[in-house]
Amino acid sequence: MSGTKSGGHADDPFQEGGGSLLRQPKAVWATAGASVVAFMGIGLVDPILPSIARGLHASDSQVSLLFTSYFLITAFAMLVTGFVSSRIGGRRTLLAGLALVVVFAALSGMSGSVGELVGFRAGWGLGNALFVSTSLAVIVGAAAGGSAAAILLYESALGLGMACGPLLGAILGDMKWRYPFFGTAVLMAIGFVAITAFLKEQPRPARKTSLLDPLRALGHGGLASAAVAAFFYNYAFFTVLAFTPFVLDMSPYSSGGVFFAWGVLLAVFSVLVAPRLQHRFGSLKVLGGSLLLLAADLLVLGYGDHTTAVVCTVLSGAFIGLNNTVFTELALGVSDAPRPVASAGYNFVRWFAAAAAPFLAPRIEEWTDLHVPFVVAAAAAVAGAGIVAVRRRALTIEAVEMEPRHAAQDGVSAFAN
């Protein structure tokens, strides 16, 4: 893949097959709208972490468990989502995920202790995993204009959600830290009604997915290499997302503005910049270079003054956007496993890092000082780049062989399945 261009973005997604990105069935818009809210839930708590800590009389390390419980459950849920959706269908899986998010987001807002809130976030993570893992397949199946337009719509939902989550958290959280959770529950309930009304049941796959299929897929050297490299990358990614708000120590509005700008860069570089750089330089060169730049950015963030930390936090969104796109292309195109199975195995590995970083970063600070968590995160990004370099052959040869078969869906967002 290092010398190839990304097939999913090669054609004009706005006019593929005579369709238009904006001319989609109501079912697609309902699913895409709910996807925006689902992705908002990831960064929703970012600007209100200090407020939650004060409101529940909790330490930074205790509050960081809101991310750990969420992503730990998400990791294990990746082994279940394909099993469930291949048996009850995509529509019912989406509705089950949305229902869980509505219930657990509302319960999160009513939490009386940090322990309760951490537990409810775990249930929220299960619901989000069921929804997010199925939504892309549903959008592609129901969209007009071909798969490229559908994928661009999905990636746009991802970027919009990642950018607006912190902003919504700041606006509602400035009034009371509980309100962002209630707001999410209301928005997801609206999504539930919209999907119930507009989305018909999608065809079920001819072969049912077993619980062990994603683990078996990891027996492929290229997929395993991509997953392990992404594990280290995600540790760096979620150090920024979960630990930096404590370092910046800003008001909810200010912190929300910083992470809104971060999310905008993430979206722009994921959807617009990454495909062009891949076409010019090759995917593996873009990935390796972006990981090293992220490492440098983290070091400057950790040792700079407050203004520098703000700038580097925003700038990290560009490198994260590039990495998200390229990593997922590798995961979906490097092996001969079906896309949902390969993606589930890949995400099962990488989400453990998303659970580990929020847990470890504040503790590393307690054991050492404020700078060391960012040094560790930078080292993780360098480790990811090293794996990509060492396993270059495994990540290139199989990817080139698979590209004609998988080109139609290259460029899928890193949160796809």
Side-chain angles (χ1 to χ4, degrees):
M1 184 174 284
S2 62
T4 62
K5 64 183 179 180
S6 175
H9 295 280
D11 299 320
D12 182 1
F14 292 89
Q15 295 293 336
E16 181 184 326
S20 169
L21 178 70
L22 300 179
R23 296 177 182 175
Q24 299 294 339
K26 293 179 180 179
V28 173
W29 288 117
T31 307
S35 297
V36 171
V37 182
F39 291 124
M40 286 169 61
I42 295 175
L44 179 81
V45 299
D46 252 34
I48 58 171
L49 287 175
S51 299
I52 293 173
R54 290 190 295 269
L56 295 177
H57 308 290
S59 66
D60 293 353
S61 58
Q62 287 177 313
V63 173
S64 69
L65 292 175
L66 294 177
F67 284 99
T68 297
S69 63
Y70 183 93
F71 287 115
L72 190 61
I73 295 301
T74 297
F76 283 107
M78 288 301 157
L79 302 179
V80 178
T81 53
F83 177 88
V84 172
S85 63
S86 64
R87 284 162 174 77
I88 69 173
R91 181 175 181 271
R92 291 179 180 177
T93 304
L94 289 180
L95 292 175
L98 286 170
L100 286 172
V101 172
V102 170
V103 170
F104 284 104
L107 289 173
S108 295
M110 294 185 285
S111 299
S113 69
V114 69
E116 288 183 4
L117 183 53
V118 168
F120 293 143
R121 277 283 286 182
W124 186 341
L126 174 60
N128 219 48
L130 288 171
F131 177 83
V132 172
S133 65
T134 311
S135 57
L136 174 64
V138 169
I139 289 175
V140 170
S147 60
I151 289 167
L152 183 58
L153 185 64
Y154 183 86
E155 289 186 340
S156 300
L158 163 67
L160 185 61
M162 292 295 288
C164 292
L167 201 59
L168 178 66
I171 293 171
L172 297 179
D174 189 58
M175 295 181 282
K176 196 170 186 178
W177 69 261
R178 299 179 186 273
Y179 290 170
F181 298 109
F182 294 136
T184 299
V186 171
L187 290 173
M188 285 305 241
I190 294 172
F192 184 96
V193 172
I195 288 177
T196 300
F198 298 121
L199 180 64
K200 298 180 180 178
E201 185 56 80
Q202 304 295 297
R204 300 183 189 181
R207 177 181 176 275
K208 294 180 179 179
T209 301
S210 78
L211 293 174
L212 295 179
D213 281 350
L215 297 178
R216 294 191 183 103
L218 290 171
H220 185 278
L223 181 60
S225 299
V228 174
F231 173 90
F232 287 105
Y233 155 62
N234 270 260
Y235 185 93
F237 175 1
F238 284 94
T239 296
V240 174
L241 190 62
F243 181 65
T244 303
F246 295 112
V247 176
L248 298 179
D249 193 24
M250 304 167 75
S251 69
Y253 271 118
S254 298
S255 183
V258 169
F259 278 95
F260 174 75
W262 170 86
V264 169
L265 273 187
L266 187 155
V268 169
F269 275 75
S270 177
V271 176
L272 301 177
V273 179
R276 288 165 173 79
L277 291 179
Q278 289 173 273
H279 178 75
R280 182 170 181 178
F281 299 107
S283 294
L284 296 187
K285 289 182 180 178
V286 171
L287 183 58
S290 183
L291 284 168
L292 293 177
L293 288 172
L294 177 61
D297 181 80
L298 286 168
L299 289 175
V300 176
L301 194 164
Y303 283 93
D305 59 21
H306 188 268
T307 301
T308 302
V310 169
V311 172
C312 288
T313 299
V314 174
L315 184 60
S316 70
F319 307 128
I320 288 170
L322 292 174
N323 291 329
N324 283 352
T325 294
V326 182
F327 261 123
T328 303
E329 288 190 10
L330 289 177
L332 299 182
V334 77
S335 75
D336 57 357
R339 285 185 180 277
V341 173
S343 183
Y346 161 78
N347 280 293
F348 173 71
V349 173
R350 77 183 184 99
W351 283 129
F352 279 109
F359 177 79
L360 291 176
R363 284 161 179 78
I364 292 172
E365 180 197 8
E366 293 171 2
W367 300 332
T368 56
D369 59 44
L370 184 65
H371 311 300
V372 176
F374 294 102
V375 175
V376 174
V382 172
I387 293 171
V388 170
V390 171
R391 296 291 294 166
R392 187 179 189 88
R393 182 175 177 83
L395 292 169
T396 301
I397 295 178
E398 292 93 333
V400 172
E401 292 172 351
M402 297 306 300
E403 185 173 5
R405 230 188 303 174
H406 291 306
Q409 287 189 15
D410 276 353
V412 180
S413 154
F415 292 90
N417 288 302

